[in-house]
């Protein structure tokens, strides 16, 4: 159970060390109204981006690797595993914030607000993708493009809504919709 909370814990610690206790409250504020309305469109866009990157990878000869997150076992065991994965996705969003915000802060004075967020989000997303090296067996293409840059819609939703909550929910729905067919169809 402990590993599923590691990203939450270390992400919060990292943000606290960098920005103080106010940052935790700030990223978990009540989202702007339009944040919740954007969950489904962002979910669709995230799938489109991921599948386009996977398709491009196939054309370039990159062999996609499954992450094996659900593992083997009974349907019940796999559903319990999926629950714990959903807990860890909260941490993934916090870690992404901890990876993105320093670059945004660093670039803010040089590039301005909008461009700092664009470049910060790209850098944070690529670093997020690199965190998946073990899950995807060092498949750099898959880690950096479908996983890394494929998460940019989640980051955009976080920025647009002024809260991590919509991006957390979207990321959980995204993964659940990917894993449920694998669980019930035995894929």
């Amino acid at each position: 159970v402990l590993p599923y909370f590691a990203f939450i814990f270390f992400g919060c610690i990292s943000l606290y060390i960098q920005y103080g206790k106010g940052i935790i409250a700030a990223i978990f504020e009540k989202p702007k109204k339009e944040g919740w309305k954007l969950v489904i469109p962002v979910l669709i866009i995230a799938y489109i981006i991921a599948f386009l990157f996977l398709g491009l990878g196939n054309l370039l000869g990159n062999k996609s690797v499954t992450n094996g997150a659900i593992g083997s076992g009974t349907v019940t065991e796999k559903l319990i595993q999926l629950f714990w994965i959903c807990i860890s996705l909260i941490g993934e969003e916090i870690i992404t914030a901890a990876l993105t915000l320093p670059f945004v802060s660093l670039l803010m004075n040089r590039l301005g607000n909008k461009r700092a967020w664009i470049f910060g989000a790209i850098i944070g997303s690529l670093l997020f993708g690199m965190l998946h090296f073990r899950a995807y067996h060092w498949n750099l293409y898959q880690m950096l493009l479908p996983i890394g840059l494929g998460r940019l819609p989640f980051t955009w939703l976080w920025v647009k809504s002024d809260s991590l909550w919509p991006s957390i929910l979207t990321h959980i729905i995204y993964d659940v919709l990917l894993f449920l067919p694998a669980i019930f169809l035995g894929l």
Side-chain angles (χ1 to χ4, degrees), residues 1 4-5 8 69-70 75-90 172 175-176 179-180 183:
V1 171
Y4 297 105
F5 290 97
I8 296 171
I70 296 298
V75 170
T76 303
E77 290 169 335
K78 290 178 181 180
L79 288 172
I80 291 169
Q81 181 69 20
L82 181 58
F83 168 78
W84 290 114
I85 288 169
C86 290
I87 298 296
S88 72
L89 294 175
I90 297 168
I172 288 171
D175 276 23
V176 165
F179 288 133
L180 280 180
I183 290 171

Side-chain angles (χ1 to χ4, degrees), residues 42-52 173-175 177-178:
V42 166
L43 181 67
I44 293 166
I45 291 167
Y47 280 126
I48 291 169
I49 290 170
F51 288 120
L52 286 174
I173 294 169
Y174 180 92
D175 276 23
L177 291 177
L178 285 176

Side-chain angles (χ1 to χ4, degrees), residues 45-176:
I45 291 167
Y47 280 126
I48 291 169
I49 290 170
F51 288 120
L52 286 174
F53 278 136
L54 286 171
L56 177 63
N58 288 337
L59 288 173
L60 297 173
N62 182 70
K63 191 159 182 101
S64 294
V65 179
T66 59
N67 70 8
I70 296 298
S72 60
T74 67
V75 170
T76 303
E77 290 169 335
K78 290 178 181 180
L79 288 172
I80 291 169
Q81 181 69 20
L82 181 58
F83 168 78
W84 290 114
I85 288 169
C86 290
I87 298 296
S88 72
L89 294 175
I90 297 168
E92 284 191 2
E93 292 302 310
I94 296 168
I95 282 289
T96 301
L99 294 169
T100 301
L101 285 173
F103 291 103
V104 172
S105 299
L106 183 68
L107 297 170
M108 194 73 74
N109 290 334
R110 295 178 185 193
L111 301 177
N113 190 29
K114 188 174 183 176
R115 288 184 10 185
W117 271 104
I118 291 169
F119 286 107
I122 291 169
I123 294 166
S125 293
L126 291 172
L127 291 171
F128 168 81
M130 292 301 293
L131 292 174
H132 291 78
F133 64 90
R134 207 174 93 209
Y136 291 97
H137 311 287
W138 286 92
N139 183 327
L140 285 174
Y141 179 88
Q142 197 164 344
M143 290 174 356
L144 294 175
L145 295 167
I147 303 301
L149 294 181
R151 73 146 288 111
L152 282 171
F154 304 143
T155 302
W156 178 83
L157 183 57
W158 159 43
V159 174
K160 186 77 173 165
S161 66
D162 262 349
S163 174
L164 278 183
W165 289 118
S167 63
I168 289 169
L169 176 65
T170 307
H171 196 161
I172 288 171
I173 294 169
Y174 180 92
D175 276 23
V176 165

